[in-house]
Amino acid sequence: MTGNAAIQIEGLRKVYAGGKRALDGVSLCVPRGSLFGLLGPNGAGKSTLINILAGLVRKTSGTAEVWGFDIDRHPRNARASLGVVPQELLFDAFFTPFETLELQAGLFGVPPRRRRTMELLRAVRLDDRAHAYARTLSGGMKRRLLIAKALVHRPPIVILDEPTAGVDIELRQMLWAYVRELHAGGTTVVLTTHYLEEAEELCDRIAIVNHGRVVIDTDTPTLLASAREKRVDVVVDRDLAEAPALPGAHRVDLLAPRRLAITYDKVETEAGALLATLSGRGLGIVDVTTREADLEDVFLALTARPADAA
Ligand code: ADP
Ligand code: MG
């Protein structure tokens, strides 16, 4: 085990009854103190991963440690180290926010004198609704209540599963501010999202999952640097049998007999130099178009592969 890992996962697999392979050998380390983004399209396996850690879904194989506690050997300690804000807004409509938090504190064995129910309700701005029935709360209020509920036992790790899916801009801003505050206070935060922008904005580290596999796991600046790739499409004046090798280019693809796509690092290389090399080889250049790749392209490129192509 890595001593400074908040969450350490090795070879995690989940095959649901019916045969759906939701996790296909996920290995991942969430460093302590990080604000970690688990990014991936719908159906990638994010919730399955979270729910295994939370003890709600039984893994098929692999290992996971939460705050150093193996989820098989020390499930209670692992569970107590984690506060999970689920994706689904599931509630017992007959409890008030105050009662909901008290009940949760009881479940985690937090003694009454160590409870901080009103403090948490204030933090998520639900103190004025403390004694209202949950069914009278708006969607945004319910989401905030779920966050408070995940925090009652002061877990060192908080996981938010798609915290802003379907919420309005105002609530999203508020949730982001709150996530930052939690993190600044020393809590390790993991959030899953299918919004690239959200991971980019909040997270210091991002793992992208697709079809139950981690396709990239790196710090956000490095991921952003991979968006430095630029592409230039060139139409030449005669048919080529294969893509020519081109020094300075990351990749050259022959899209059609007369059309080349050249990908290069826009910081290291200039399109002009690449084109000069081509014409220096006697190729006439008929047309040139360039395209700036951004993080969205990187994300799409990494998640565009079909399930079994990896
Ligand atoms: P994400 O949270 O990234 O959207 P999920 O973990 O919810 O992905 O789902 C991963 C895959 O597993 C999807 O194909 C989904 O349909 C499937 N799946 C999720 N839960 C179940 C379940 N209880 N039974 C069968 N298949 C499931
Ligand atoms: Mg999900």
Side-chain angles (χ1 to χ4, degrees):
M1 190 204 72
T2 316
N4 65 352
I7 299 171
Q8 180 88 44
I9 295 168
E10 300 290 346
L12 199 61
R13 286 173 202 280
K14 173 64 188 179
V15 182
Y16 281 109
K20 174 70 203 178
R21 227 187 309 159
L23 296 179
D24 195 15
V26 167
S27 298
L28 203 62
C29 172
V30 175
R32 292 194 184 198
S34 58
L35 208 173
F36 195 97
L38 203 56
L39 179 67
N42 283 324
K46 305 180 297 295
S47 293
T48 300
L49 177 68
I50 301 315
N51 291 336
I52 289 172
L53 296 176
L56 300 172
V57 167
R58 184 185 281 274
K59 66 186 163 62
T60 304
S61 62
T63 62
E65 284 180 1
V66 178
W67 214 247
F69 299 110
D70 185 282
I71 61 167
D72 291 327
R73 281 180 289 149
H74 304 286
R76 284 172 56 91
N77 287 328
R79 187 66 195 85
S81 305
L82 213 57
V84 178
V85 184
Q87 181 172 1
E88 306 295 335
L89 294 174
L90 289 174
F91 272 95
D92 196 325
F94 297 102
F95 292 112
T96 67
F98 187 89
E99 290 165 341
T100 301
L101 297 195
E102 284 289 313
L103 203 65
Q104 183 77 357
L107 283 177
F108 275 99
V110 182
R113 71 191 149 74
R114 293 204 62 225
R115 291 183 192 171
R116 43 177 189 154
T117 300
M118 283 313 293
E119 178 194 325
L120 281 172
L121 288 175
R122 267 193 300 278
V124 296
R125 290 183 222 155
L126 280 178
D127 43 322
D128 59 334
R129 308 294 295 238
H131 302 292
Y133 284 107
R135 68 182 137 80
T136 68
L137 303 179
S138 69
M141 291 174 179
K142 285 178 180 167
R143 181 133 341 245
R144 276 140 59 195
L145 178 56
L146 281 178
I147 293 177
K149 193 177 162 192
L151 299 174
V152 294
H153 57 298
R154 301 170 196 263
I157 309 168
V158 171
I159 302 184
L160 301 109
D161 195 359
E162 304 261 359
T164 61
V167 310
D168 61 39
I169 291 175
E170 197 188 344
L171 178 58
R172 190 202 300 194
Q173 293 299 337
M174 184 188 148
L175 290 173
W176 283 13
Y178 196 61
V179 162
R180 286 199 176 96
E181 204 178 301
L182 263 180
H183 178 241
T187 304
T188 302
V189 180
V190 179
L191 67 90
T192 80
T193 181
H194 61 274
Y195 299 124
L196 180 68
E197 178 205 354
E198 183 158 272
E200 187 184 338
E201 170 80 22
L202 283 179
C203 302
D204 50 39
R205 210 177 161 83
I206 296 176
I208 299 180
V209 283
N210 194 34
H211 300 303
R213 293 181 190 180
V214 175
V215 291
I216 196 167
D217 173 9
T218 185
D219 56 287
T220 307
T222 303
L223 189 65
L224 288 169
S226 61
R228 293 194 321 198
E229 279 204 335
K230 196 165 172 175
R231 184 173 133 174
V232 52
D233 284 16
V234 181
V235 178
V236 294
D237 62 354
R238 65 188 140 84
D239 289 0
L240 298 172
E242 57 182 19
L246 202 56
H250 284 176
R251 214 175 57 240
V252 183
D253 296 309
L254 193 60
L255 303 179
R258 295 189 178 202
R259 180 179 283 273
L260 295 167
I262 305 166
T263 322
Y264 63 100
D265 184 321
K266 67 187 176 203
V267 177
E268 289 169 359
T269 312
E270 278 178 19
L274 297 168
L275 297 177
T277 307
L278 280 182
S279 52
R281 291 184 191 158
L283 278 175
I285 293 167
V286 177
D287 189 36
V288 178
T289 46
T290 62
R291 211 163 80 76
E292 198 108 355
D294 58 15
L295 200 48
E296 188 79 34
D297 293 312
V298 177
F299 180 57
L300 290 175
L302 287 167
T303 56
R305 289 174 210 119
D308 292 312

